[in-house]
């Protein structure tokens, strides 16, 4: 039975939406990673009730929320996590930055796989650390791009000063959900080189078609000892603006280090974020299931459209996330591709150059929107490209 209508148009122009206001009213924004859908009704109801109470003094994490998260981790991954192993965060970008502060002494290196979500590149630099870059391997079959791990490049990027590997799984922007075998290989290399792993798994519930997610820390108790796992309900239930996330750290001394690195700098989570998280995890599953059917439809619509109408573009077929990663090198666009689509097609995409090595000639497209917005944006891109020859 279908309960939620993701085709319903919602006007976000003229609201506080960063996505919709950054480039003006005439531009269709398919860039920043939030979706154009209202949160699940259960979340809206819980927020209404909380607001109606009217008192907004300091809040705190309830046992009910911690237990709901632990229960979910067991149900989804057979991963045993206890409430004391959770540290709540006002956003996962903070989580990445705290990981760098907590783990790395001055002059240390942080390993990342590019192309990658830009805060992975800025977090080490914010802490005065070195970036060690291992580029992912990309192969092409017809129009389709597939990314995999180049283990030689990964090992070669590890230097004597490298202390931390920041993994993104599912990977933004390339849409990979890493397999058990890939995660075992990465964990083995990190163990051999004594690296701590910070695994950002914010997109772990956005699994397309038959993909599955495996937290790297759930592979074994030994691996868990070197892991900081970052998760949040924010992408899954479209509540990113409420800033509620958490780190799972099972090694007590690593957890203490993490708490110390955050102390006095990182605020508590806003109480509306906590309310929304609890409602989402407890009562948002039907909505989430239907969302995934819709996003899967959008992904398939997008790849079919690219195949039929945009043969000069090459794209990933994402396994997870609502993000596609497009190579424009065969389009004939002169200059910056993001600016071309912004100015000529009136469609805002993310500029691939900001995703580090391997991002040149790419743009990232967010298909977490209604099918009609997606169709309109793709048509505008098609017409803009048609003017090129
Ligand atoms: C991999 C990844 N991590 C973190 C974030 C942002 O997290 P937050 O808004 O909780 O800081 C995003 C948002 O796009 C993301 O894709």
């Amino acid at each position: 039975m279908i309960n939620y209508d993701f085709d319903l148009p919602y006007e976000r122009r003229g609201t506080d939406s960063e996505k919709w206001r950054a480039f003006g009213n005439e531009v269709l924004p398919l860039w920043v990673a939030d979706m154009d859908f209202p949160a699940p009704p259960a979340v809206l109801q819980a927020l209404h009730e909380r607001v109606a109470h009217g008192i907004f003094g300091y809040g705190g994490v309830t046992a009910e929320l911690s237990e709901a998260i632990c229960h979910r981790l067991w149900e989804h991954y057979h991963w045993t996590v206890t409430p004391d192993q959770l540290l709540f965060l006002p956003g996962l970008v903070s989580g990445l930055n705290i990981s760098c502060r907590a783990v790395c002494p001055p002059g240390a290196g942080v390993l990342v796989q590019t192309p990658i979500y830009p805060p992975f590149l800025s977090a080490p630099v914010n802490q005065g650390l070195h970036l060690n870059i291992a580029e992912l391997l990309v192969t092409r079959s017809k129009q389709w791009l597939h990314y995999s791990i180049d283990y030689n490049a990964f090992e070669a990027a590890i230097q004597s000063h490298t202390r931390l590997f920041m993994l993104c799984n599912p990977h933004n922007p390339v849409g990979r959900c890493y397999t058990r075998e890939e995660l075992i290989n990465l964990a083995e290399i990190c163990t051999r080189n004594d690296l701590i792993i910070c695994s950002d798994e914010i997109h772990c519930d956005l699994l397309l078609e038959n993909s599955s997610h495996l937290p790297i820390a759930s592979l074994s108790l030994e691996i868990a000892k070197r892991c900081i796992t970052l998760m949040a309900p924010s992408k899954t239930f479209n509540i990113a603006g409420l800033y509620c996330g958490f780190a799972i750290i099972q090694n007590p001394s690593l957890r203490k280090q993490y708490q110390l690195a955050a102390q006095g700098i990182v605020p508590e989570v806003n109480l509306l974020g906590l309310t929304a998280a609890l409602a989402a995890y407890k009562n948002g599953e039907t909505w989430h299931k239907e969302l995934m059917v819709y996003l899967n439809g959008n992904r398939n619509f997008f790849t079919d459209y690219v195949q039929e109408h945009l043969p000069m573009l090459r794209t990933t077929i994402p396994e997870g996330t609502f993000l596609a990663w497009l190579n424009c090198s065969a389009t004939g666009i002169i200059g910056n591709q993001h600016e071309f689509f912004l100015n000529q097609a009136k469609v805002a995409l993310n500029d691939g150059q900001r995703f580090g090595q391997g991002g040149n000639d790419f743009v990232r497209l967010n298909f977490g929107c209604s099918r009609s917005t997606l169709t309109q944006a793709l048509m505008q891109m098609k017409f803009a490209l048609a003017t090129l020859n």
Side-chain angles (χ1 to χ4, degrees):
M1 190 176 103
I2 295 178
N3 297 290
Y4 308 107
D5 185 358
F6 294 96
D7 281 324
L8 269 186
Y10 282 88
E11 184 54 86
R12 296 185 74 191
R13 290 184 184 91
T15 71
D16 52 11
S17 161
E18 187 54 21
K19 182 181 181 183
W20 280 84
R21 71 181 177 180
F23 297 104
N25 280 347
E26 73 284 12
V27 167
L28 281 179
L30 274 65
W31 64 294
V32 70
D34 71 26
M35 301 184 283
D36 291 337
F37 310 126
V43 170
L44 300 180
Q45 190 189 332
L47 287 170
H48 281 301
E49 283 169 13
R50 183 62 192 84
V51 169
H53 182 251
I55 302 178
F56 306 107
Y58 295 116
V61 178
T62 59
E64 196 184 5
L65 175 57
S66 297
E67 278 155 20
I69 291 170
C70 294
H71 178 70
R72 188 178 176 86
L73 295 171
W74 172 253
E75 274 211 319
H76 285 227
Y77 317 116
H78 277 203
W79 183 16
T80 308
V81 173
T82 52
D84 58 304
Q85 296 169 343
L86 303 177
L87 298 176
F88 283 80
L89 294 165
L92 294 200
V93 171
S94 315
L96 294 171
N97 281 269
I98 302 166
S99 298
C100 291
R101 276 173 72 87
V103 171
C104 295
V110 180
L111 177 61
V112 298
Q113 295 171 296
T114 65
I116 198 148
Y117 176 58
F120 279 70
L121 303 171
S122 54
V125 177
N126 290 342
Q127 312 304 326
L129 302 167
H130 298 283
L131 256 182
N132 303 139
I133 290 178
E135 208 175 314
L136 291 167
L137 201 62
V138 57
T139 49
R140 179 161 74 88
S141 159
K142 298 184 192 150
Q143 274 182 280
W144 316 123
L145 301 176
H146 182 76
Y147 281 82
S148 58
I149 299 165
D150 178 342
Y151 295 105
N152 291 331
F154 188 81
E155 287 234 48
I158 300 173
Q159 299 181 14
S160 57
H161 66 246
T162 311
R163 290 283 177 280
L164 175 67
F165 165 45
M166 294 204 301
L167 170 68
C168 190
N169 181 33
H171 191 110
N172 172 1
V174 307
R176 278 298 319 281
C177 297
Y178 293 114
T179 61
R180 177 180 290 274
E181 191 190 347
E182 286 172 311
L183 295 172
I184 288 175
N185 290 340
L186 288 175
E188 190 275 318
I189 298 172
C190 290
T191 305
R192 193 151 31 79
N193 289 278
D194 198 18
L195 304 186
I196 297 293
I197 302 168
C198 172
S199 183
D200 179 335
E201 303 184 9
I202 197 168
H203 295 279
C204 65
D205 298 310
L206 296 165
L207 303 173
L208 298 161
E209 218 152 9
N210 299 320
S211 307
S212 58
H213 175 74
L214 186 65
I216 192 166
S218 71
L219 286 174
S220 77
L221 291 177
E222 262 325 288
I223 293 165
K225 281 187 193 151
R226 57 177 69 254
C227 286
I228 299 164
T229 305
L230 304 177
M231 288 184 175
S234 47
K235 301 286 166 191
T236 319
F237 299 100
N238 209 30
I239 50 175
L242 290 171
Y243 287 101
C244 175
F246 51 93
I248 304 158
I249 311 177
Q250 299 189 281
N251 175 334
S253 61
L254 185 56
R255 193 160 66 241
K256 185 82 204 151
Q257 259 171 275
Y258 200 86
Q259 278 171 314
L260 284 175
Q263 195 166 292
I265 302 173
V266 181
E268 304 294 324
V269 176
N270 181 299
L271 54 82
L272 294 181
L274 295 170
T275 299
L278 178 63
Y281 283 144
K282 289 203 86 159
N283 301 313
E285 215 33 53
T286 313
W287 180 91
H288 173 230
K289 280 210 175 80
E290 293 189 17
L291 167 76
M292 292 320 300
V293 172
Y294 194 82
L295 288 180
N296 213 59
N298 271 6
R299 185 202 65 171
N300 294 344
F301 174 81
F302 164 76
T303 48
D304 288 350
Y305 194 96
V306 169
Q307 188 168 28
E308 197 171 328
H309 302 287
L310 300 165
M312 65 301 273
L313 288 177
R314 294 157 190 169
T315 179
T316 51
I317 303 177
E319 298 165 351
T321 77
F322 43 77
L323 307 165
W325 181 238
L326 282 81
N327 181 291
C328 309
S329 55
T331 55
I333 295 172
I334 296 170
N336 181 291
Q337 290 94 353
H338 155 78
E339 280 171 23
F340 171 82
F341 286 116
L342 183 62
N343 297 325
Q344 307 305 319
K346 302 288 176 212
V347 174
L349 306 170
N350 287 84
D351 185 349
Q353 287 180 31
R354 298 211 40 234
F355 293 71
Q357 232 166 275
N360 280 356
D361 290 333
F362 280 82
V363 286
R364 192 192 71 176
L365 180 147
N366 172 350
F367 56 86
C369 56
S370 70
R371 190 94 24 102
S372 66
T373 300
L374 180 61
T375 310
Q376 184 62 37
L378 290 172
M379 272 168 42
Q380 290 176 203
M381 289 168 67
K382 174 182 155 181
F383 292 136
L385 286 168
T387 63
L388 284 175
N389 34 40

